[in-house]
Amino acid sequence: MARVRTFDIPAAVEKLNRILEMELATVVYYTHYSFMVFGHARIPIQSWFADGATEALGHAQEAGTMITRLEARPSLNIASLPQTHHDTIDQIMTETLAREEAGVELYRDLLKSIEGESVVLEEYARQKIAEESMHVANIRMMLRKSPPKEAKQAAE
Ligand SMILES: [Fe+2]
């Protein structure tokens, strides 16, 4: 006998749609940022953003697929794209960090709502939380001006 699904499917779809819309906005932001990088680090950071845009599109496609798997219709919207002013790589990275942290929260939100109820969604959400959290950690390191103290002492 098939196990009756006990989680709130419309609520999970709602959360997946927020994720889809956020990832699509990330595609736009990362593409934009890739144009806005100037200075010595332009080449690697530009391609880091371009790769990030491709990755976010993959994440959007995964979220959309999860929605159709639940027999619902994926949103055709995109999260809001407020115009921001950034002149330096630091400003761009600071904005990116805030956006990525907010993005991880959407996956955490999804996990909370289906934990123990759907192995597929749980695995999906956990994997994305891990992936996106590593991304956040990388951005934090990119924003650092020097290595952490212990590592610095160890290197001396
Ligand atoms: Fe993502």
Side-chain angles (χ1 to χ4, degrees), residues 92-144:
I92 289 175
M93 296 314 296
T94 302
E95 272 186 36
T96 303
L97 179 61
R99 249 185 266 288
E100 288 290 328
E101 285 172 337
V104 181
E105 283 313 303
L106 295 183
Y107 285 104
R108 284 191 194 284
D109 228 41
L110 172 69
L111 177 63
K112 249 183 264 159
S113 74
I114 47 83
E115 211 160 15
E117 307 293 341
S118 161
V119 172
V120 173
L121 283 177
E122 207 174 316
E123 288 291 304
Y124 161 76
R126 281 185 195 284
Q127 189 206 326
K128 283 290 163 296
I129 291 166
E131 245 178 76
E132 306 277 10
S133 298
M134 285 305 293
H135 205 59
V136 165
N138 274 332
I139 298 166
R140 286 213 182 99
M141 287 190 277
M142 287 166 91
L143 276 165
R144 287 188 75 100

Side-chain angles (χ1 to χ4, degrees), residues 3-133:
R3 184 182 179 276
V4 178
R5 285 186 287 198
T6 55
F7 68 100
D8 184 344
I9 292 178
V13 167
E14 170 69 23
K15 289 174 198 308
L16 283 163
N17 268 321
R18 294 293 83 74
I19 289 170
L20 169 60
E21 292 166 2
M22 172 276 292
E23 294 288 7
L24 288 174
T26 304
V27 173
V28 175
Y29 272 116
Y30 273 39
T31 302
H32 174 71
Y33 291 148
S34 77
F35 303 140
M36 301 300 288
V37 177
F38 298 94
H40 294 148
R42 176 174 167 84
I43 304 298
I45 296 181
Q46 188 182 41
S47 71
W48 184 82
F49 274 117
D51 291 348
T54 305
E55 191 184 292
L57 178 60
H59 290 178
Q61 289 164 337
E62 277 183 81
T65 303
M66 286 294 162
I67 294 165
T68 54
R69 203 186 66 84
L70 294 172
E71 291 169 38
R73 298 172 80 96
S75 162
L76 194 56
N77 291 327
I78 183 163
S80 72
L81 296 162
Q83 189 69 249
T84 56
H85 189 83
H86 32 256
D87 282 329
T88 66
I89 294 175
D90 263 17
Q91 286 169 348
I92 289 175
M93 296 314 296
T94 302
E95 272 186 36
T96 303
L97 179 61
R99 249 185 266 288
E100 288 290 328
E101 285 172 337
V104 181
E105 283 313 303
L106 295 183
Y107 285 104
R108 284 191 194 284
D109 228 41
L110 172 69
L111 177 63
K112 249 183 264 159
S113 74
I114 47 83
E115 211 160 15
E117 307 293 341
S118 161
V119 172
V120 173
L121 283 177
E122 207 174 316
E123 288 291 304
Y124 161 76
R126 281 185 195 284
Q127 189 206 326
K128 283 290 163 296
I129 291 166
E131 245 178 76
E132 306 277 10
S133 298

